[in-house]
Amino acid sequence: MEEKSQTVLRHVLETQFSDSHPRVDPHSSPEAGIFNKLKAAYDACMDEERLRTIGSKPLLDILRKVEKLFPAARPHSTSEPFPKLPHQAQKGLVYEGENQLTATVAYLASIGVDALVSFDVGADDKDPDSVVLTINPLRTTGLPSKEYYDDVDLVKSYSRTIGLVLEGLLLESNPNSTLHSTIGGRLSVNSESLVKDLVAFESKLAMATPSTEEAEDVTQYYNPRTLEETKSLLPQLSLQYIIASLAPPGYTTNRVIVGSPPYLEAVSSVLKSTSAETLQAYFVWKTVQHYAHRVDDSALKPLLRFNNELQGKDPDATEERWRTCVKVVDSGLGWILSKFFIEKAFSEEAKVFGDRIVSDIKAQFVKKLQKTEWMIHNIIQKIGYPTRSPDVRDPVVLQEYYKNVSITSTDFFGNAISIARFDVNREWSALGKPTDREEWGMSVPTVNAYYNPAGNEIVFPAGIMQAPVFYDPSIPQYLSYGAFGSVSGHELSHAFDSSGRHYDETGNYTEWWSNETVHAFKEKAQCFIDQYHGFTVPGADGEPLHVNGRLTLGENIADAGGLSASFAAWREYEEESPGELLPGLQGFSKDQMFFISYSNWWCGKSRKETAIDHIYRDPHAPIWARIIGTMANSREFRESFDCPKKEPTCELW
């Protein structure tokens, strides 16, 4: 399905507008206007010869601005509006108020680069119709997660990569520079010292970040604080300045959510013992990591090779350029691309069918959870594509939506900066306004789905609703219910899992379960925790690495509940309209084919390195465990295949 979606999008982007829309004026219509913006973004990405000619120049322009905002090698004049920086050899960044550290963090945030902390704007969990600013720990500090910093050999390789890239960029910027150079492929003493300090700084930040399990837990990350209270945690950073820089004019607040107070305190402590030179190198490196894929330059090859090795790929592996560019356009101009995708790949019949499946499964949840019928009926289902905020069918609306995004066919890097600024501005502009419950968090071609607890909504983009798995008039429905139906049930189950149970029918974070129910839930949930902890993947050292049963609990509960509800819904559908057995597969019953369809949906392979990364960071269990564990937890599966033991390993609802 992913492959089909990409191919459809490639066809859209490589076809002339006049060929696909012969009756539309290509010079004046809004539809032609938005298509041309898509085409320009794609063409700029595909022009590899131009990218090689330009090299790292646009990235270096950004890096010079970062260095100007946060100079490390010289003291500042007293006439500047910020306190003086200590000399690069001194320690102790203990500023208060608006300062160069804050200005640099704010600038990087404006172009989509997270440094020191991450800012998120969204619905307030305790007041979901209001929008609030959250200050969070970094999602990644440099390496994918804190566990990677314990691998001595990996950190050495990472450090060498940083040194080679920064020195390469320095030589690109100033070919006559002898300040930092490589000798026989080894870093000079000065560079080696700086990189060592930079990686040590990153490592300290990483060690201070909460575990993925804690970061996903609303009872841990929802910590309302006043600005003054937040300042006491991290006095070197002025939230007032950042809000004034990024929020809408006139917006004021004295309340933010702090994702992890201990993390902010740790950042403050680390800053007090970090030199300005190290911090400048850190800000530069964060920018390089974020925008390296937008530059074609030999100076960045060590980073691309390192990233490939980190993922278990051949160091010189490259993706077909058109695939890269389809993803780039979808991530930047996704709603425009969505319009042309649904024209090519999503019918009204499919949308109606999707609504039916989700409604059928809702009915099964009502039967299972009779006392929470009110909750289930309040779950909003969004199918296919958004018709508001924006309406992706309307070219005039889309033209207005993206009017401030500047795209040309000759400036790939500039397009990225414009899109980043647009995305940041759109996110921050929500402050001071009611929550827009019509917004979607995924573009239409995405092969995925999600449950949003603050909105109490389940969302199924058209990308996941494609033949033959989802909808095709020629296939029996046990295939659709086994795969897509189970996904639908999975998302519905999230409303009652370890995380969703904290939200009521309006998406408000509250404890609406009785103490007795919570106690019984935790007892049953422990079975899932223990079961999935028993699954392992080979670790980097060859020793078994266990699945985190607590981190994956919500997803494992949702898999079990979704499968059970979808099977019951399909059985009722089968009574009305019996499906036929597939040719060549008559040896399997329809019930068995339902479970084969579910398992085939998840079947796949992962590289060892990818599997390890998922254990550390992914709230989902490995895909093979999602098959084996979920089947073991399905009474219906055990009965369909006549297993000796019919009792499920774990069962919640």
Side-chain angles (χ1 to χ4, degrees):
M1 293 167 72
E2 185 83 48
E3 182 75 13
K4 179 181 177 182
S5 289
Q6 285 195 358
T7 303
V8 169
L9 297 177
R10 181 189 188 185
H11 180 72
V12 167
L13 292 165
E14 294 185 355
T15 302
Q16 294 300 318
F17 182 79
S18 56
D19 293 338
S20 55
H21 299 78
R23 298 182 182 179
V24 179
D25 185 350
H27 302 292
S28 61
S29 75
E31 192 164 12
I34 60 172
F35 180 86
N36 290 337
K37 186 165 266 190
L38 276 185
K39 185 71 171 166
Y42 184 72
D43 291 346
C45 179
M46 290 293 291
D47 194 347
E48 294 182 271
E49 183 176 347
R50 177 183 287 274
L51 294 179
R52 283 190 290 269
T53 301
I54 294 172
S56 60
K57 182 182 181 306
L59 175 59
L60 288 170
D61 290 342
I62 298 291
L63 299 184
R64 290 189 189 99
K65 181 158 186 175
V66 172
E67 291 176 341
K68 186 176 180 181
L69 281 168
F70 198 90
R74 59 182 176 81
H76 290 195
S77 66
T78 55
S79 62
E80 294 190 13
F82 304 114
K84 287 185 179 179
L85 281 167
H87 187 267
Q88 59 181 353
Q90 295 176 331
K91 308 284 186 179
L93 296 174
V94 290
Y95 308 133
E96 292 186 3
E98 291 75 10
N99 52 65
Q100 287 168 314
L101 186 75
T102 297
T104 306
V105 170
Y107 168 69
L108 290 176
S110 75
I111 59 171
V113 179
D114 290 336
L116 298 181
V117 295
S118 174
F119 300 103
D120 295 287
V121 175
D124 188 333
D125 289 276
K126 286 263 184 182
D127 182 14
D129 285 318
S130 298
V131 178
V132 69
L133 171 65
T134 300
I135 179 168
N136 276 320
L138 293 171
R139 293 174 181 84
T140 58
T141 54
L143 291 172
S145 70
K146 64 167 65 180
E147 291 84 0
Y148 286 84
Y149 288 92
D150 294 328
D151 187 326
V152 175
D153 292 335
L154 179 64
V155 170
K156 284 182 180 178
S157 177
Y158 179 53
S159 300
R160 176 179 171 79
T161 299
I162 294 174
L164 290 172
V165 170
L166 294 185
E167 287 190 343
L169 289 173
L170 179 67
L171 291 173
E172 291 277 354
S173 177
N174 181 8
N176 298 319
S177 172
T178 57
L179 178 61
H180 302 295
S181 62
T182 56
I183 303 173
R186 297 189 63 182
L187 298 177
S188 66
V189 175
N190 288 342
S191 297
E192 212 163 26
S193 175
L194 179 61
V195 170
K196 182 180 179 181
D197 289 345
L198 166 56
V199 175
F201 176 73
E202 273 192 6
S203 179
K204 290 174 184 176
L205 295 183
M207 293 307 110
T209 58
S211 67
T212 308
E213 180 186 340
E214 292 172 317
E216 298 272 338
D217 186 349
V218 65
T219 66
Q220 298 289 320
Y221 69 68
Y222 189 81
N223 305 289
R225 295 290 189 273
T226 66
L227 293 187
E228 195 62 32
E229 289 169 337
T230 307
K231 180 180 177 181
S232 70
L233 299 170
L234 180 54
Q236 297 96 327
L237 206 63
S238 170
L239 270 183
Q240 291 95 330
Y241 180 91
I242 290 170
I243 291 171
S245 301
L246 299 175
Y251 173 78
T252 59
T253 186
N254 191 37
R255 180 177 180 275
V256 296
I257 308 300
V258 176
S260 173
Y263 174 79
L264 296 195
E265 291 179 315
V267 172
S268 178
S269 177
V270 172
L271 287 175
K272 292 175 183 177
S273 60
T274 303
S275 71
E277 185 184 31
T278 300
L279 272 176
Q280 185 195 70
Y282 166 77
F283 291 135
V284 166
W285 179 239
K286 292 306 99 186
T287 308
V288 170
Q289 280 190 302
H290 188 82
Y291 280 107
H293 69 291
R294 292 286 189 163
V295 172
D296 190 342
D297 191 289
S298 59
L300 293 164
K301 295 301 182 188
L303 177 57
L304 302 179
R305 290 173 62 86
F306 176 78
N307 287 340
N308 276 339
E309 290 174 341
L310 201 60
Q311 298 171 50
K313 299 178 183 178
D314 182 278
D316 295 313
T318 56
E319 185 178 55
E320 291 175 280
R321 188 64 185 176
W322 71 265
R323 294 184 188 276
T324 299
C325 295
V326 164
K327 294 172 187 174
V328 164
V329 176
D330 188 31
S331 66
L333 300 170
W335 297 132
I336 299 179
L337 199 55
S338 294
K339 176 193 183 330
F340 296 100
F341 179 81
I342 60 177
E343 288 178 359
K344 299 284 186 183
F346 192 64
S347 66
E348 187 61 30
E349 291 80 10
K351 192 173 189 302
V352 170
F353 182 66
D355 267 317
R356 167 166 182 161
I357 284 187
V358 176
S359 297
D360 286 351
I361 292 168
K362 271 187 177 180
Q364 296 305 318
F365 272 91
V366 169
K367 292 178 182 178
K368 285 177 176 284
L369 307 170
Q370 294 178 10
K371 292 185 179 180
T372 55
E373 181 176 350
W374 53 274
M375 174 77 176
I376 296 164
H377 286 312
N378 273 284
I379 296 176
I380 298 166
Q381 56 196 67
K382 295 180 175 178
I383 306 292
Y385 50 84
T387 56
R388 295 180 183 174
S389 298
D391 183 346
V392 299
R393 303 166 300 179
D394 190 334
V396 176
V397 168
L398 293 174
Q399 196 170 46
E400 176 66 18
Y401 186 87
Y402 287 107
K403 68 179 180 181
N404 293 325
V405 179
S406 176
I407 300 292
T408 76
S409 61
T410 58
D411 191 358
F412 182 52
F413 194 91
N415 294 346
I417 295 293
S418 181
I419 288 169
R421 289 189 178 281
F422 167 76
D423 286 339
V424 171
N425 181 66
R426 183 190 57 78
E427 181 181 0
W428 282 74
S429 67
L431 289 168
K433 302 173 184 175
T435 300
D436 186 350
R437 289 181 177 258
E438 301 295 338
E439 284 189 330
W440 284 41
M442 287 179 180
S443 71
V444 171
T446 305
V447 183
N448 209 334
Y450 66 93
Y451 170 72
N452 170 27
N456 195 30
E457 62 185 11
I458 49 175
V459 184
F460 304 97
I464 201 172
M465 302 168 68
Q466 299 292 311
V469 178
F470 161 64
Y471 174 72
D472 187 323
S474 67
I475 65 172
Q477 296 311 311
Y478 49 75
L479 296 182
S480 294
Y481 277 83
F484 177 77
S486 296
V487 172
S488 306
H490 171 104
E491 302 305 340
L492 275 163
S493 292
H494 275 314
F496 308 96
D497 68 12
S498 51
S499 175
R501 73 179 182 85
H502 295 292
Y503 295 84
D504 66 16
E505 78 280 10
T506 64
N508 186 47
Y509 167 35
T510 183
E511 297 299 333
W512 59 277
W513 287 17
S514 69
N515 290 336
E516 184 183 6
T517 301
V518 171
H519 178 73
F521 175 88
K522 288 182 176 180
E523 277 195 346
K524 288 197 170 189
Q526 188 61 45
C527 177
F528 288 86
I529 293 170
D530 296 339
Q531 177 195 21
Y532 280 83
H533 178 75
F535 295 125
T536 64
V537 302
D541 57 1
E543 294 297 316
L545 189 61
H546 288 265
V547 172
N548 186 333
R550 291 194 179 276
L551 172 61
T552 60
L553 176 60
E555 299 297 335
N556 299 331
I557 289 173
D559 280 346
L563 183 76
S564 176
S566 184
F567 184 81
W570 165 68
R571 273 286 188 84
E572 289 193 5
Y573 186 96
E574 173 72 9
E575 289 179 7
E576 296 178 20
S577 181
E580 296 181 2
L581 290 173
L582 292 174
L585 293 170
Q586 291 94 336
F588 295 103
S589 70
K590 295 177 186 179
D591 287 9
Q592 290 173 333
M593 285 303 303
F594 171 94
F595 293 106
I596 289 172
S597 179
Y598 169 85
S599 301
N600 193 51
W601 166 259
W602 287 119
C603 193
K605 290 181 70 67
S606 299
R607 295 182 182 86
K608 175 182 176 180
E609 292 79 1
T610 302
I612 292 171
D613 183 52
H614 285 183
I615 292 292
Y616 291 147
R617 297 196 295 159
D618 196 340
H620 302 85
I623 51 178
W624 56 267
R626 296 184 73 174
I627 299 171
I628 297 172
T630 306
M631 296 301 98
N633 294 335
S634 170
R635 185 184 302 273
E636 296 88 352
F637 169 81
R638 290 173 177 270
E639 290 174 348
S640 297
F641 283 88
D642 197 23
C643 298
K645 183 180 178 182
K646 304 298 189 291
E647 194 71 19
T649 302
C650 300
E651 190 174 36
L652 188 65
W653 308 119

